[in-house]
Structures are given as C-alpha cells and as structure tokens.
C-alpha cells in the first residue's frame, strides 16, 4: 500500500530561524494537503497542492509540490512561537478519487523564544 | 468557515460497555465523513469513510462489528465502539467534507476529537 513519510520527526528551532519539513510518497499523487495540529488541538487545513511543481505561499509559509508529484515540502521563514505544533501532510494517490487521504507521521515543531 | 463538532469530548467507560460518539457538521452538508484514530504523539489513522445513506467503508484491519458507523443524515455521523476494551482507549477524530466546495477542494474539516478511556 501507499506509504507517506515525513522528515524530520522532530525539529527544535530558535525563534526567528527557518524550518522545513519534507513529505515523501512511495506512489505518484493526485494532490497533497498540509495540516497543522496545535498541542491538544485538532488538525487544521493549511493548503492543497495539485499541480506538478506547484509553489504556494501563505505569509511566512511556502509550500511546494515536486515535479514528479511524489514529494512536497513546507518551509516556514523566521519562525514564531505561534508556529509550534505538528505539521502533517495528507496524500491522495493518483488512482484514488479523493476519498481517502493517507496522513504522514507528522513533524513536531517546537520554537524556543 | 465550516465547523465540525464532536460529542462527547471526553468519555470514560468500563470495559465491556459501548460508547457512541457523534460527529456533526454545523454549517454545511457533508455526504462524506471520515473517522480517524490518533494515538499520543502519533499521526492520524483513517478507520473508515462514512457515506450518507449507505454503508461505511472500513480500512483494512478495522473491525466493522467493533466500530459501528451510522451516517443517517447529511450533518450527522456516529461511531459506536462496541464492547470497549482498554486497548480501544484513544483519541477519535472525525472530519467532513463540504459538499458545496467539493469541486474546489478536497479539504477536510476536523472535529475537536473525543478522548476515550476504557478502564
């Protein structure tokens, strides 16, 4: 079955430093979504990427979809304490009709003030 | 924005009893809802896809007789954990997709989760 991996598993940064998490799939994807889960909270949708090589920005967050549609990255510039949480990618296989996502294991980000 | 609620938020029950968890989409209709299970500091594991008016689709390894899902309306899905045991203790999260926005996004809106503890 499809496997979705994320690295790193944990990341500790000093406030102001940049942060990147990578999501890799064993199969070609239809689309990929990113979610953020704050400690004690539930996942919140951040963005969806659909096109090969797509890059989207949300303020300090930059999302990228690989050319082969098998990997993605989330980059945060100048982290803030409000960025603390776990970032999950959720991948939809190309041959699936968007019904089921496979969530990656997540990258837990802590930001030291 | 789309809001999904879950009830109860926490439940503690004795081993052998059944527990029902409700998932409601408050301001949109959801033909499809999803039930996930999340262990501490772990990712979300999809348990089943709940389809309004039809049987749920269960993921491999999830016992359908153990985790009963009913999606009776476009705004309500329920998950019943039958004959609960301590190993069923977990965080259960539902999500829903807005029918009206289906062609734009596959975005899922998550409920706040239900923490089940089986003694």
């Amino acid at each position: 079955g499809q496997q979705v991996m994320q690295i790193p598993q944990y990341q500790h940064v000093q406030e102001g430093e940049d942060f990147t998490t990578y999501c890799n799939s064993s199969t070609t994807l239809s689309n990929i979504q990113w979610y953020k889960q704050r400690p004690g909270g539930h996942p919140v949708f951040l963005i969806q990427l659909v096109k090969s090589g797509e890059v989207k920005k949300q303020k300090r967050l930059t999302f990228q979809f690989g050319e082969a549609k098998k990997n993605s990255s989330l980059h945060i510039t100048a982290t803030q304490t409000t960025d603390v949480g776990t970032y999950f990618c959720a991948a939809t296989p190309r041959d699936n009709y968007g019904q089921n996502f496979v969530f990656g294991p997540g990258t837990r980000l802590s930001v030291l003030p | 924005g789309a809001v999904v609620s879950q009830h109860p938020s926490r439940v503690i029950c004795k081993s052998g009893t059944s527990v029902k968890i409700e998932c409601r989409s408050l301001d949109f209709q959801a033909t499809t809802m999803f039930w996930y299970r999340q262990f501490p500091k772990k990712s979300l594991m999809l348990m089943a896809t709940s389809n309004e008016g039809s049987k749920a689709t269960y993921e491999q390894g999830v016992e359908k007789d153990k985790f009963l899902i009913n999606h009776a309306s476009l705004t309500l899905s329920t998950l019943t954990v039958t004959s609960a045991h301590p190993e069923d203790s977990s965080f259960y999260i539902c999500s829903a997709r807005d029918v009206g926005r289906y062609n734009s996004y596959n975005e899922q809106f998550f409920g706040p989760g239900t923490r089940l503890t089986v003694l």
Side-chain angles (χ1 to χ4, degrees):
Chain A
Q2 182 195 18
Q3 293 187 3
V4 178
M5 297 153 283
Q6 275 185 262
I7 53 171
Q9 188 177 3
Y10 302 96
Q11 185 80 57
H12 305 278
V13 300
Q14 202 74 35
E15 188 172 21
E17 291 181 341
D18 293 354
F19 160 76
T20 304
T21 174
Y22 300 90
C23 177
N24 297 295
S25 168
S26 57
T27 61
T28 304
L29 303 173
S30 169
N31 62 73
I32 197 162
Q33 296 189 355
W34 285 92
Y35 289 80
K36 176 184 178 181
Q37 184 175 22
R38 291 180 180 272
H42 60 276
V44 175
F45 174 82
L46 294 177
I47 208 153
Q48 174 174 278
L49 304 171
V50 179
K51 298 177 182 177
S52 169
E54 187 171 17
V55 178
K56 287 188 176 180
K57 292 189 176 185
Q58 289 179 353
K59 296 183 181 178
R60 295 179 294 104
L61 277 61
T62 302
F63 304 85
Q64 189 165 5
F65 203 5
E67 293 289 342
K69 298 184 75 172
K70 296 180 73 172
N71 56 71
S72 179
S73 64
L74 158 58
H75 179 82
I76 302 178
T77 304
T79 55
Q80 300 175 0
T81 55
T82 53
D83 296 325
V84 166
T86 301
Y87 293 84
F88 294 100
C89 61
T92 302
R94 185 176 59 185
D95 295 329
N96 188 297
Y97 293 98
Q99 283 289 86
N100 298 342
F101 294 150
V102 175
F103 277 82
T107 296
R108 185 169 299 111
L109 172 66
S110 63
V111 180
L112 304 174
Chain B
V3 179
V4 175
S5 70
Q6 269 184 254
H7 178 81
S9 58
R10 290 177 179 272
V11 58
I12 301 173
C13 68
K14 292 182 179 179
S15 185
T17 60
S18 294
V19 175
K20 180 185 283 189
I21 303 170
E22 292 185 349
C23 177
R24 293 181 185 273
S25 56
L26 298 186
D27 52 0
F28 67 99
Q29 293 183 330
T31 55
T32 304
M33 290 184 172
F34 303 91
W35 287 96
Y36 293 86
R37 186 172 179 177
Q38 186 175 34
F39 291 100
K41 298 183 180 180
K42 296 294 184 182
S43 187
L44 292 89
M45 184 191 77
L46 179 64
M47 299 175 64
T49 302
S50 172
N51 301 298
E52 187 266 334
S54 65
K55 292 183 179 180
T57 304
Y58 290 81
E59 295 298 301
Q60 193 172 9
V62 178
E63 299 177 58
K64 58 181 67 176
D65 295 331
K66 172 77 173 174
F67 299 99
L68 300 178
I69 291 173
N70 187 314
H71 195 152
S73 75
L74 284 172
T75 59
L76 173 64
S77 176
T78 60
L79 167 68
T80 301
V81 182
T82 62
S83 187
H85 291 286
E87 57 265 30
D88 298 323
S89 298
S90 190
F91 192 54
Y92 293 88
I93 308 178
C94 72
S95 71
R97 182 180 294 136
D98 186 345
V99 173
R101 296 178 62 181
Y102 182 80
N103 289 327
S104 299
Y105 281 118
N106 289 327
E107 176 182 357
Q108 293 186 25
F109 299 97
F110 283 84
T114 297
R115 183 155 313 276
L116 170 63
T117 303
V118 184
L119 303 176

